[in-house]
Amino acid sequence: MRQFLVSITKEDDFFIARCPELNVTSQGESLEEAEKNIKEAIELYIESFGVEDLPQKVSKPYITFVEVAHA
């Protein structure tokens, strides 16, 4: 069993799920569907490519907002 970092954002009418470790993306019409679909996409990735080349330890993510002035 292994955990992967996934971010899910709402874009227009869909929730977009991304796994940056594997560069895998999926989507769903609901948050739950997006989470289910990204899990399936990650499982398919592992089935196809394995996890041998991935680092065994994953660093904890740091997520923040930055404010940028614009004209």
Side-chain angles (χ1 to χ4, degrees):
M1 186 70 69
R2 181 171 172 158
Q3 289 184 334
F4 291 92
L5 175 68
V6 171
S7 69
I8 302 176
T9 56
K10 181 126 169 68
E11 297 180 21
D12 298 322
D13 294 335
F14 289 92
F15 288 87
I16 308 302
R18 294 179 178 89
C19 175
E21 284 179 83
L22 305 178
N23 199 25
V24 172
T25 301
S26 191
Q27 67 180 20
E29 291 183 357
S30 68
L31 186 60
E32 294 78 15
E33 183 179 20
E35 189 172 345
K36 178 180 138 293
N37 290 344
I38 193 67
K39 183 176 178 182
E40 182 178 307
I42 290 169
E43 289 169 345
L44 290 171
Y45 178 97
I46 291 170
E47 187 178 302
S48 298
F49 301 108
V51 292
E52 293 79 23
D53 295 332
L54 296 176
Q56 292 302 310
K57 285 191 158 195
V58 178
S59 62
K60 291 185 179 183
Y62 174 74
I63 300 173
T64 188
F65 289 99
V66 295
E67 194 169 320
V68 179
H70 58 87

